[in-house]
Amino acid sequence: MVKTLDARTSQGSNGQQILTPSFMNGVPLLFAQVGLQISNPGMSIRTFFSGIVEITASQLPVNGNLVIEVYRGLGGSQQLVYRANTTVLANPFFSPCILSFSGSEYNVPAPGNGQLVYSAYATFSYNPIYNVNNVRLGPESFNTTVYSDD
């Protein structure tokens, strides 16, 4: 039998306004973080996560690249568990760019302190001879649910 241990959402924006700070070219930006409470887990812990990030590159004359990375843990002990990317087209006709993602992690080690932390980062990269501002439009959200077997 499967039981849900916890579920959390981190929402940076519902998409109603431009977000700050904006992306710095090629620098990962933490856009979401959740702490899931793990109490009396069963033998096998697994996590399902999903999210969305929306940006624009209409000011760029060339395409950019958007990368989403999800890590488990905090600080120097973070472990990459998921990565997705897409090309952000510079053409205003195709902007904004929405990247929605979903992933999972199986056989997650039980946290010693009872809290399982996931952090989601977005990195926007483009030709460094150009400069853009206010490319984060939103929505930005990250949803996680952790399960175990009884």
Side-chain angles (χ1 to χ4, degrees), residues 30-51:
L30 176 67
F31 74 90
Q33 190 170 62
V34 295
L36 299 152
Q37 304 305 308
I38 307 299
S39 177
N40 299 319
M43 293 296 290
S44 177
I45 299 173
R46 53 201 175 277
T47 305
F48 173 77
F49 48 85
S50 63

Side-chain angles (χ1 to χ4, degrees), residues 9-70:
T9 297
S10 175
Q11 185 171 38
S13 167
N14 60 7
Q16 300 297 313
Q17 59 199 23
I18 293 174
L19 299 170
T20 56
S22 190
F23 288 103
M24 293 178 62
N25 190 9
V27 177
L29 176 71
L30 176 67
F31 74 90
Q33 190 170 62
V34 295
L36 299 152
Q37 304 305 308
I38 307 299
S39 177
N40 299 319
M43 293 296 290
S44 177
I45 299 173
R46 53 201 175 277
T47 305
F48 173 77
F49 48 85
S50 63
I52 187 169
V53 173
E54 183 176 354
I55 68 171
T56 182
S58 59
Q59 300 172 14
L60 282 175
V62 296
N63 294 345
N65 188 51
L66 177 63
V67 175
I68 302 296
E69 292 180 325
V70 176

Side-chain angles (χ1 to χ4, degrees), residues 119-134:
S119 303
Y121 295 85
T123 306
F124 184 49
S125 302
Y126 49 88
N127 188 322
I129 66 170
Y130 303 107
N131 189 21
V132 296
N133 292 317
N134 298 326

